[in-house]
Amino acid sequence: MAPPRIGLPKGGKKGGDKPDTGDEPSPPPGAPEEAPPRLGTGDRGNSGTQDEGNGPPRIGADKPEGSTQGQGNGPARIAADKPESSYSGPKLIGESKPFGQLQEKGRKVDNELHTAIKENKPDTQTTKLSDNYEERDGDPNIVLSNAKDLEEPFKDIGVDLSKAKHSSSTIVSKGGIGEKAPVAEGRFFHQDRTIVGEKRFTGNDRNPQEKKMKSSDIVFAQWQKFASHHNKMTGRLKSGMTDDVNKLENFVGRDIQSKSTVETMETAHKNSKQPLDKPGVFKRDSKDEERGAFDALLGTDSLSSINYMLKDHHQALGNKRVKEIHTYLRTFNPETREGRQKVAMAVQLEEYRS
């Protein structure tokens, strides 16, 4: 979340459609709000253009509050000064989170995934998405013709955006009364093994608490539907087809607006001496500051839900883990620097190896 959301209605509603920027699960009604998340699959805004994904209105920018600086896999140290922010997009959502705290969270979630795979734990069983949610899917052969903000992320993960066909998907809860707003939105490029997370609004989920699904489970159910070729009546694979659920390779978090995620991306660039106005890359097999930045990014609201999905459904997804994280902090028109800034992350997966 942000590979965590995919074609979306324009705009948002008052009240419950506050973008989600945290992890799992959704808080019960009346509980204090947490800082919004990400996947993503998950920390998007309320309005924007239909063709380029839905982002929030241009409201201004926030400078990060404090941050801590990590040193590889060791303990974090407090930065002496507040980092100057390069962000110039819409107002960010949620609260700042210490860099060291996100490093610890990233390592924790990664270790949980390691344990699930190493011990061959069974996948988490969830209810059918269709039991409590409406699924509104778009044409499966759509090509994005004007998504400038996705051109560079797709290039870096090796997918030709101009030719990549996909299905958009919007999830709406069945519970409650009155007008129903989207709970999650995304785009699924199953032939190119890629998920684009565009929006997630857990506040719009009107199901009773016991029927709400975690964001990571919703995204997995969507991917499973688009990447599977089973006959809905018999449950058997269609003739000549294969099940591609375990072939997921990439996740792109689009138009990220989580305050803590954007600030963590900026600190990651600075700690590893990567320019803020250029794409950043952070690899699992790196060392020192870059590896510390990799861990912190794994712990952000925008990516932690992807790790939960990889852990809870590791067998179905082929025992994958995050290999590389690409970050994009520039405006979406790098030549003129016109237009509001759209922050994104692209994640490449790999098969787990001990």
Side-chain angles (χ1 to χ4, degrees), residues 13-171:
K13 307 288 182 245
K14 294 181 179 179
D17 60 351
K18 182 178 180 180
D20 171 20
T21 57
D23 314 325
E24 359 262 336
S26 306
E33 293 189 3
E34 298 291 336
R38 95 215 136 27
L39 183 207
T41 93
D43 41 4
R44 313 302 185 255
N46 297 24
S47 65
T49 58
Q50 290 175 324
D51 194 48
E52 292 189 334
N54 296 4
R58 302 174 59 182
I59 308 180
D62 284 46
K63 290 186 178 180
E65 307 229 348
S67 115
T68 58
Q69 201 173 30
Q71 288 186 307
N73 290 323
R77 67 174 186 271
I78 305 280
D81 300 305
K82 295 179 181 180
E84 287 297 323
S85 175
S86 65
Y87 184 78
S88 60
K91 185 172 182 178
L92 298 174
I93 301 162
E95 303 297 330
S96 299
K97 295 180 181 179
F99 192 78
Q101 175 183 317
L102 293 177
Q103 281 182 317
E104 292 177 5
K105 180 179 178 182
R107 291 170 193 146
K108 178 177 181 292
V109 174
D110 204 44
N111 287 335
E112 289 174 354
L113 170 62
H114 168 91
T115 300
I117 295 175
K118 195 74 174 176
E119 297 180 3
N120 196 28
K121 292 184 177 181
D123 284 0
T124 300
Q125 298 300 311
T126 61
T127 58
K128 288 184 179 179
L129 186 64
S130 58
D131 287 349
N132 301 306
Y133 298 88
E134 297 175 16
E135 304 171 67
R136 302 173 183 174
D137 301 332
D139 187 322
N141 295 307
I142 293 295
V143 173
L144 289 174
S145 60
N146 193 31
K148 298 295 184 183
D149 61 308
L150 290 178
E151 288 179 355
E152 200 151 36
F154 268 61
K155 179 182 177 182
D156 288 343
I157 62 176
V159 177
D160 187 343
L161 182 64
S162 67
K163 297 179 181 178
K165 296 180 179 179
H166 76 283
S167 292
S168 62
S169 179
T170 299
I171 303 301

Side-chain angles (χ1 to χ4, degrees), residues 59-293:
I59 308 180
D62 284 46
K63 290 186 178 180
E65 307 229 348
S67 115
T68 58
Q69 201 173 30
Q71 288 186 307
N73 290 323
R77 67 174 186 271
I78 305 280
D81 300 305
K82 295 179 181 180
E84 287 297 323
S85 175
S86 65
Y87 184 78
S88 60
K91 185 172 182 178
L92 298 174
I93 301 162
E95 303 297 330
S96 299
K97 295 180 181 179
F99 192 78
Q101 175 183 317
L102 293 177
Q103 281 182 317
E104 292 177 5
K105 180 179 178 182
R107 291 170 193 146
K108 178 177 181 292
V109 174
D110 204 44
N111 287 335
E112 289 174 354
L113 170 62
H114 168 91
T115 300
I117 295 175
K118 195 74 174 176
E119 297 180 3
N120 196 28
K121 292 184 177 181
D123 284 0
T124 300
Q125 298 300 311
T126 61
T127 58
K128 288 184 179 179
L129 186 64
S130 58
D131 287 349
N132 301 306
Y133 298 88
E134 297 175 16
E135 304 171 67
R136 302 173 183 174
D137 301 332
D139 187 322
N141 295 307
I142 293 295
V143 173
L144 289 174
S145 60
N146 193 31
K148 298 295 184 183
D149 61 308
L150 290 178
E151 288 179 355
E152 200 151 36
F154 268 61
K155 179 182 177 182
D156 288 343
I157 62 176
V159 177
D160 187 343
L161 182 64
S162 67
K163 297 179 181 178
K165 296 180 179 179
H166 76 283
S167 292
S168 62
S169 179
T170 299
I171 303 301
V172 178
S173 63
K174 291 181 178 180
I177 59 175
E179 183 177 1
K180 294 180 174 63
V183 173
E185 296 171 337
R187 300 179 189 267
F188 296 85
F189 299 74
H190 87 268
Q191 293 178 342
D192 292 286
R193 305 174 180 185
T194 299
I195 296 173
V196 175
E198 292 187 332
K199 281 190 176 179
R200 186 179 64 210
F201 295 112
T202 55
N204 288 338
D205 194 337
R206 301 184 181 184
N207 284 308
Q209 186 65 26
E210 67 274 10
K211 292 185 177 181
K212 290 181 178 180
M213 291 179 68
K214 295 190 298 185
S215 300
S216 56
D217 289 337
I218 290 177
V219 174
F220 172 75
Q222 290 174 290
W223 170 252
Q224 187 177 44
K225 177 178 66 175
F226 288 113
S228 178
H229 304 287
H230 290 81
N231 184 297
K232 293 182 179 179
M233 297 297 293
T234 65
R236 299 174 183 172
L237 279 172
K238 296 178 182 178
S239 177
M241 304 298 284
T242 59
D243 190 336
D244 295 331
V245 176
N246 66 349
K247 293 181 171 60
L248 179 64
E249 293 180 354
N250 311 297
F251 172 81
V252 177
R254 186 183 192 188
D255 203 4
I256 293 170
Q257 292 158 31
S258 162
K259 183 177 177 66
S260 64
T261 298
V262 172
E263 291 178 359
T264 301
M265 292 168 69
E266 291 181 327
T267 303
H269 274 242
K270 292 172 182 177
N271 285 2
S272 59
K273 295 179 172 57
Q274 300 190 53
L276 291 172
D277 62 345
K278 302 290 183 183
V281 59
F282 303 89
K283 301 180 180 181
R284 174 178 290 276
D285 60 4
S286 60
K287 297 179 180 180
D288 303 323
E289 299 290 0
E290 186 181 316
R291 177 56 204 243

Side-chain angles (χ1 to χ4, degrees), residues 310-329:
L310 294 174
K311 174 180 72 74
D312 292 342
H313 307 282
H314 68 93
Q315 293 186 358
L317 292 169
N319 292 329
K320 303 286 177 59
R321 66 181 183 181
V322 175
K323 175 186 178 183
E324 293 184 12
I325 303 170
H326 300 262
T327 53
Y328 309 87
L329 285 162

